Amino acid sequence: MMSSVLSTLSFRKREVKNDDMADRHSGILYSREIQLKLINPLKNLRRLGMKRIVEFFTDFETYPYTAEEIDAVFFAVVWPQICRLALESQHSPSFVLKLIHVWSQYSRYFPCLAKQKPGQPEFDVLLNAFALLSTKNLSDTTAGVVIDITSNLLNCPDFEETESLSSLVVNDCAVLDAAYMGDECPTFGVKLVLPHVPVLLQYLNKSMLNAEKMKKRKFGKQVSKELGILSKISKFIQDKEQSNLLIGLLISYLHKSNLSQDTEVDILETVQNLLRHCVNPSSFLKPLSKLFAVVQNKLSRQTLCTTFQVLSELDPQLQRVTDVAVKLNAFDQKHLDDIHFDVRLTAFQQATAFIKEMKSIDVNYILPLMHNCFYTIQLGDIDNAGLLLTSVMKQLAAVKHTEEDYQEIIHRTLLESLRNGLKSKVETVQQDYTTLLSNLIRTFPGHPEFADLVKLTDYNDPEMDFFENMKHIQIHRRARALRKLASHLFEGNVILSSKSMQNYIMPYATSTIFDEKMHKHEHMVNASVEMVGSICKNLSWSAYMFYLKHFIHVLQTGQINQKLGVRRCAEFVLCPELHLNY
């Protein structure tokens, strides 16, 4: 059957008769003159024949193909169209691309992908297949097929002969010499992919920057495959600039997305491989440190610790903080799902003691620990995390430091997490961050960021301290503190900067209004509504419009119980002092 199909696919014009290849396979293929009226029917017949060839290789994977039959397949199916693959498969996969895809699914067929046309390197099968990734306006379907081909080649183990099934004998194969690969011996499929790594990286770089693609669920499987591909090939990437670029892209992707544990592990393992070849591994300490506050899965956090160990191997000065970070993420060996409290407690105590003894600020030591503290707070352990963070604040204020140190530790790290923490719907988390804010104000009372908030504190009388009241277990005490401050702001007795009101006061009100569990406490809801109105009265016009649009959007989308919150918020946002006429 295969010979009949190949004969049908081998129609050629008269001048092809003298071709050496035609003479070579005259027993299987033949050519003849074609009449013009038969061209279209023959095209349809050719498409049907190519479909049958694809199906044959799919269904008869164990068929004992001879070298002559493989040559005939290439002569009739592959060589005539392989150079036009980028054009014919741009919008949808052609039958040649589908055939390549089938060959990539079975390691026994891999030699077919290494077959060359003597003296004509442009006929390389995989060269033309990967060239599709550089094609403009490439369809998602075609890109998916090429990514599948790559994934198959990287993940399929080498074919092992058995008594009933032998390897394929394919003429004119060319495979990258394993001697170039260093100590690790790559599989046959990996050797086929390696020459095309630059093209793959160029495509994957663009793919990682495609935010819309990353967010859509329908691309989830392909994104996962792409990340898996990066993980496989990263150990063979030697270019330092490419390594730097990929590390930055992968880390930023981890920051912005909610990923499965397997995907996170793949990315982190890829980063480990790339760190060994980048220009300056230590430059990635800060973005990697932030992942301690982002990554939640157990195995992912352990892999992140391994990534830090790789970093410390490349820069021994990071060994101390790496050791502490590993202990802060320790799990009980007897109960693998339980954290090891004793080891973590000891690590917190050692880190806190070391920070208190610092004569100068070591940002590289402090940042990873701070992000671990933010994660620990989410777990509900404020005691150890709070002590460490407070020690960082006090030591920063006590020893000589640069403005860059202050900006990095306080503004770009602590305050960024604190602002998010104050918005948390988890009551304990909000209260823990309130404690940190109070400590910041006490430690840096003269700093412009906190100077106007000092008037809300009273260290001699906690009942008069706004922040202490906002942590109180009695909800009516919180409501009273909110109502009192709202009244002072509305009447102008207390003046706060627009930045302070939005970042550090507004979250207490909005977290109550948007938490359905708090709606049963009407006095707290009313006080929160009053606070929103008082703050909006004192905002600039642009900030006022932001909140107005926000509450209108909330009202339209039904994100809150209208009777209990939104209508009252709207009344206060539309302040009568603005004299709006409709």
Side-chain angles (χ1 to χ4, degrees):
M1 183 190 78
M2 189 174 184
S3 297
S4 300
V5 174
L6 290 174
S7 298
T8 304
L9 293 173
S10 302
F11 286 109
R12 288 293 183 271
K13 293 183 180 180
R14 183 181 300 276
E15 54 267 21
V16 180
K17 288 183 178 180
N18 295 325
D19 188 272
D20 293 339
M21 186 67 75
D23 293 339
R24 181 180 177 185
H25 305 296
S26 58
I28 299 177
L29 311 174
Y30 59 90
S31 59
R32 60 180 61 168
E33 186 177 356
I34 305 173
Q35 298 181 20
L36 292 178
K37 64 180 181 180
L38 299 178
I39 290 180
N40 287 334
L42 287 174
K43 284 183 178 179
N44 293 330
L45 186 61
R46 181 177 180 81
R47 281 192 289 269
L48 182 61
M50 294 182 68
K51 181 180 179 182
R52 293 292 176 264
I53 291 295
V54 173
E55 292 173 349
F56 193 93
F57 277 96
T58 303
D59 297 335
F60 299 98
E61 188 263 334
T62 59
Y63 176 81
Y65 299 94
T66 65
E68 288 74 18
E69 286 174 328
I70 296 298
D71 286 344
V73 169
F74 272 81
F75 177 70
V77 178
V78 180
W79 297 145
Q81 298 189 58
I82 191 65
C83 291
R84 300 199 303 268
L85 192 62
L87 178 64
E88 295 181 350
S89 298
Q90 180 180 5
H91 302 294
S92 62
S94 65
F95 283 110
V96 174
L97 185 60
K98 291 179 180 178
L99 180 60
I100 296 172
H101 184 241
V102 171
W103 286 344
S104 74
Q105 294 175 336
Y106 306 97
S107 55
R108 184 168 178 257
Y109 290 149
F110 283 3
C112 295
L113 299 173
K115 185 174 174 60
Q116 307 289 318
K117 193 172 184 180
Q120 295 177 284
E122 67 275 10
F123 281 81
D124 185 284
V125 176
L126 290 179
L127 177 66
N128 286 279
F130 284 113
L132 278 164
L133 297 178
S134 302
T135 305
K136 292 183 178 180
N137 302 319
L138 182 66
S139 70
D140 295 329
T141 303
T142 300
V145 171
V146 179
I147 292 300
D148 278 346
I149 292 171
T150 310
S151 181
N152 293 338
L153 291 173
L154 293 174
N155 291 296
C156 283
D158 286 337
F159 175 75
E160 295 183 3
E161 290 187 350
T162 63
E163 294 182 0
S164 59
L165 189 62
S166 61
S167 300
L168 287 186
V169 177
V170 180
N171 297 322
D172 303 316
C173 283
V175 185
L176 191 66
D177 192 347
Y180 297 145
M181 299 300 102
D183 297 333
E184 184 172 351
C185 183
T187 63
F188 192 93
V190 171
K191 294 177 186 178
L192 292 175
V193 173
L194 288 177
H196 311 286
V197 164
V199 178
L200 264 173
L201 291 181
Q202 184 179 10
Y203 169 78
L204 293 174
N205 285 344
K206 295 179 181 178
S207 181
M208 291 293 173
L209 292 172
N210 189 339
E212 182 180 358
K213 175 182 175 181
M214 290 296 184
K215 291 178 181 178
K216 288 185 177 180
R217 290 186 178 180
K218 68 177 182 179
F219 293 115
K221 290 184 179 180
Q222 184 173 347
V223 170
S224 180
K225 282 186 179 180
E226 291 174 0
L227 293 172
I229 289 171
L230 279 176
S231 179
K232 291 288 185 181
I233 66 174
S234 60
K235 64 186 71 175
F236 301 109
I237 296 178
Q238 302 295 326
D239 186 89
K240 295 183 180 296
E241 294 298 331
Q242 287 182 342
S243 297
N244 269 36
L245 176 61
L246 279 177
I247 292 173
L249 288 171
L250 291 170
I251 293 177
S252 64
Y253 181 51
L254 278 173
H255 281 295
K256 297 178 181 179
S257 305
N258 294 322
L259 306 175
S260 66
Q261 178 173 275
D262 291 342
T263 303
E264 288 178 339
V265 170
D266 278 343
I267 293 177
L268 290 170
E269 288 179 347
T270 301
V271 171
Q272 293 171 22
N273 295 328
L274 294 171
L275 282 172
R276 303 181 188 278
H277 304 291
C278 68
V279 177
N280 182 16
S282 300
S283 64
F284 295 102
L285 174 70
K286 293 177 183 178
L288 282 172
S289 298
K290 290 182 179 180
L291 294 178
F292 278 118
V294 177
V295 174
Q296 304 292 321
N297 298 307
K298 171 194 168 184
L299 186 57
S300 302
R301 294 187 70 82
Q302 291 178 327
T303 309
L304 179 57
C305 290
T306 304
T307 306
F308 262 78
Q309 289 173 332
V310 172
L311 203 58
S312 64
E313 290 174 7
L314 300 172
D315 186 354
Q317 294 182 356
L318 302 177
Q319 187 63 53
R320 180 189 292 272
V321 69
T322 298
D323 292 341
V324 177
V326 171
K327 292 177 181 178
L328 289 177
N329 292 277
F331 285 86
D332 194 328
Q333 295 298 320
K334 296 181 180 179
H335 308 282
L336 296 180
D337 291 332
D338 296 336
I339 63 177
H340 202 308
F341 288 100
D342 293 338
V343 173
R344 294 191 182 195
L345 176 60
T346 303
F348 270 117
Q349 293 172 341
Q350 292 175 347
T352 302
F354 182 77
I355 290 172
K356 289 180 179 180
E357 298 298 324
M358 281 186 178
K359 303 301 181 183
S360 60
I361 297 300
D362 186 350
V363 177
N364 289 343
Y365 181 84
I366 290 174
L367 290 183
L369 303 187
M370 291 182 70
H371 289 289
N372 269 288
C373 288
F374 301 147
Y375 171 75
T376 304
I377 290 174
Q378 298 296 326
L379 296 180
D381 183 11
I382 180 59
D383 295 335
N384 295 312
L387 284 174
L388 194 150
L389 291 172
T390 301
S391 298
V392 170
M393 299 178 206
K394 291 181 178 180
Q395 200 65 17
L396 184 64
V399 304
K400 186 177 181 180
H401 61 270
T402 65
E403 179 62 21
E404 177 60 24
D405 290 341
Y406 178 87
Q407 292 294 327
E408 186 64 47
I409 293 174
I410 301 300
H411 274 265
R412 291 195 287 268
T413 304
L414 183 54
L415 287 182
E416 182 178 331
S417 180
L418 189 146
R419 293 183 189 113
N420 292 327
L422 292 178
K423 299 174 185 176
S424 175
K425 292 183 180 180
V426 181
E427 188 176 289
T428 55
V429 172
Q430 186 187 63
Q431 292 176 358
D432 293 343
Y433 278 102
T434 300
T435 300
L436 291 176
L437 176 58
S438 183
N439 290 336
L440 268 175
I441 297 170
R442 176 177 290 193
T443 307
F444 301 101
H447 196 278
E449 182 78 20
F450 313 111
D452 57 346
L453 295 173
V454 173
K455 59 177 70 75
L456 303 183
T457 64
D458 191 329
Y459 305 124
N460 297 320
D461 186 359
E463 292 189 4
M464 300 300 294
D465 190 308
F466 173 77
F467 299 106
E468 289 298 324
N469 278 291
M470 293 312 299
K471 298 187 296 179
H472 205 282
I473 191 173
Q474 296 178 350
I475 295 179
H476 73 86
R477 289 278 296 273
R478 301 180 216 167
R480 187 174 66 185
L482 277 176
R483 186 175 286 108
K484 181 179 178 180
L485 180 57
S487 176
H488 286 319
L489 289 173
F490 193 85
E491 295 171 1
N493 297 328
V494 173
I495 298 176
L496 299 177
S497 67
S498 178
K499 185 177 181 180
S500 294
M501 288 188 290
Q502 293 179 80
N503 290 337
Y504 308 118
I505 306 301
M506 181 70 88
Y508 293 112
T510 54
S511 62
T512 298
I513 294 171
F514 293 108
D515 186 358
E516 292 185 0
K517 296 179 182 178
M518 294 297 294
H519 288 174
K520 60 184 178 182
H521 304 287
E522 188 173 355
H523 55 297
M524 186 66 178
V525 174
N526 291 338
S528 298
V529 172
E530 290 180 25
M531 177 60 79
V532 172
S534 297
I535 290 176
C536 287
K537 176 181 178 292
N538 291 278
L539 293 178
S540 62
W541 178 253
S542 60
Y544 168 82
M545 285 300 297
F546 169 80
Y547 282 105
L548 176 60
K549 292 178 180 178
H550 173 67
F551 282 114
I552 290 175
H553 173 73
V554 168
L555 182 62
Q556 290 175 335
T557 55
Q559 297 180 27
I560 190 174
N561 187 308
Q562 295 182 356
K563 293 182 179 179
L564 293 178
V566 177
R567 289 180 180 175
R568 295 182 182 181
C569 288
E571 290 176 3
F572 276 94
V573 174
L574 296 173
C575 300
E577 285 75 6
L578 295 174
H579 301 291
L580 297 177
N581 298 316
Y582 293 93

